Amino acid sequence: METLIAPFLNVLALLAVLGFYLRKPLAVYVAQRHETITAELGDARVALSRATQQVAELKQKLLGMTEELASLKVQARQEAKASSEAILASAQSLSRSILSDAQAAAVQTKAEFKKALRMDLASLAITRAEVRLRDRLTGEDHARIRREFSTLVEKSQ
């Protein structure tokens, strides 16, 4: 144990010398470190305050966006309804126009068909009458018709 006393005293002496010379620099270092940590804590508090304020602002903006989105949805629905009504009105107008054009075309086609039918019927009637007259006319009838025709031509001149 006697051998441990001398090194122990040497360590104590070393610690005493170190404590004497390092006391002021350690005190300055600790004070500076304390000031640095205090300043960083203050900066952190300011940053936290700003972040809290920004979160509140973002929540407010998000709430405003939600309201604006709802407003835009209502506006889009109204515009879609108005467009739908305009398209429907246009389609109905076009439908009426097409119907009136079709009716006019049908009336015109009917009139043309009637005219063509009358012409065909008249042509058939004339052809049939001609055939019947040829079959029933005799030589005397031919001579009499020629005489009457000649008389009519002479009177007209």
Side-chain angles (χ1 to χ4, degrees), residues 10-63:
N10 282 338
V11 169
L12 271 175
L14 179 65
L15 286 176
V17 170
L18 283 175
F20 179 75
Y21 287 111
L22 292 178
R23 189 173 50 127
K24 283 187 181 179
L26 269 172
V28 170
Y29 172 76
V30 169
Q32 286 177 350
R33 183 73 177 139
H34 177 56
E35 289 175 13
T36 304
I37 290 173
T38 304
E40 287 177 357
L41 279 174
D43 292 344
R45 284 188 187 115
V46 170
L48 178 63
S49 172
R50 277 193 227 138
T52 305
Q53 184 180 6
Q54 286 178 346
V55 166
E57 288 174 4
L58 289 175
K59 283 183 180 178
Q60 190 66 26
K61 285 182 181 179
L62 183 61
L63 184 63

Side-chain angles (χ1 to χ4, degrees), residues 95-149:
S95 171
R96 285 190 294 271
S97 173
I98 289 171
L99 184 62
S100 67
D101 289 348
Q103 287 174 341
V107 167
Q108 184 179 359
T109 303
K110 181 181 175 184
E112 289 173 3
F113 182 70
K114 277 184 176 181
K115 184 178 177 182
L117 189 60
R118 284 183 182 149
M119 294 293 281
D120 287 345
L121 186 59
S123 176
L124 285 173
I126 290 172
T127 304
R128 197 162 185 187
E130 188 178 321
V131 168
R132 282 193 171 178
L133 283 175
R134 272 194 214 133
D135 291 344
R136 292 185 183 174
L137 286 180
T138 61
E140 278 179 23
D141 291 331
H142 282 287
R144 182 179 50 83
I145 291 173
R146 281 189 194 128
R147 276 188 308 240
E148 287 176 2
F149 181 71

Side-chain angles (χ1 to χ4, degrees), residues 1-13:
M1 184 125 151
E2 290 180 18
T3 57
L4 288 177
I5 293 177
F8 181 71
L9 288 177
N10 282 338
V11 169
L12 271 175

